[in-house]
Amino acid sequence: MTVITVNTSKGRLDREQRRLLAETLTDAVLVPEVGQFAPAARMGFQVHFVEREPDMMAIGGRLLADAGPGLDVMVIDVAVMDGHWPREVRAEVIERVLAALAEAAGLPEPSPAWWVNFRVIEEGSWGSRGGVLSVLSLLGSGVFSEEKAQAIRAAVHA
């Protein structure tokens, strides 16, 4: 289970861009998280788009409203359940998220002011279905590759 929150200035992304990103951001995290492309796993992902007025965001000590139209600022927060998240897998997710954003925006590369936070919610700290949910209880769902399931079991029990 994963929550991806995209924070932008108001009007930065139109509905078609958000529609595309709902799928591409999900898949950007899904494949590294479960170890394979598994469309059935998409139901465990939420993407939230949060728009803020330019006078409610700042970079470099200046409100976007005062900085002019040239700044393209976004903060993307990726929150995932505890599992197998070594540095190279986290880097892959961040790169895939930034590539998906650039594609949706029609840009050749991501803006340097698009920042991604990757957070792992430790085991026992994720609530759903009326209680605390463990990634271990999801391993039998059939969406995780066997290799990824083994890595998660080892990482969570470490």
Side-chain angles (χ1 to χ4, degrees):
M1 300 183 73
T2 297
V3 178
I4 303 163
T5 306
V6 181
N7 297 279
T8 64
S9 59
K10 190 168 183 135
R12 172 59 181 92
L13 299 171
D14 64 31
R15 183 179 301 214
E16 288 306 311
Q17 289 171 314
R18 291 190 306 271
R19 184 173 283 122
L20 175 63
L21 285 167
E23 183 174 326
T24 59
L25 290 175
T26 293
D27 291 346
V29 183
L30 183 150
V31 173
E33 184 168 10
V34 303
Q36 61 188 358
F37 180 65
R42 285 180 172 157
M43 289 307 294
F45 288 72
Q46 293 184 22
V47 180
H48 297 235
F49 297 97
V50 180
E51 292 185 319
R52 301 182 193 285
E53 294 292 339
D55 64 348
M56 300 300 283
M57 297 176 73
I59 188 167
R62 296 184 64 203
L63 291 175
L64 292 185
D66 298 336
L71 287 175
D72 188 9
V73 174
M74 284 192 221
V75 175
I76 301 86
D77 183 68
V78 180
V80 299
M81 294 180 83
D82 204 355
H84 181 248
W85 294 108
R87 184 181 309 268
E88 63 273 8
V89 174
R90 288 178 283 153
E92 177 186 357
V93 168
I94 291 168
E95 290 165 4
R96 290 169 61 102
V97 164
L98 289 168
L101 286 162
E103 178 185 345
L107 298 174
E109 60 185 28
S111 165
W114 296 354
W115 299 347
V116 178
N117 297 320
F118 186 96
R119 295 183 300 122
V120 177
I121 308 302
E122 73 178 55
E123 183 68 14
S125 299
W126 195 287
S128 178
R129 304 176 187 174
V132 176
L133 186 62
S134 170
V135 69
L136 298 173
S137 66
L138 302 174
L139 295 181
S141 66
V143 299
F144 291 86
S145 70
E146 186 53 41
E147 178 181 289
K148 191 65 169 184
Q150 288 176 359
I152 290 170
R153 284 185 194 97
V156 172
H157 289 304

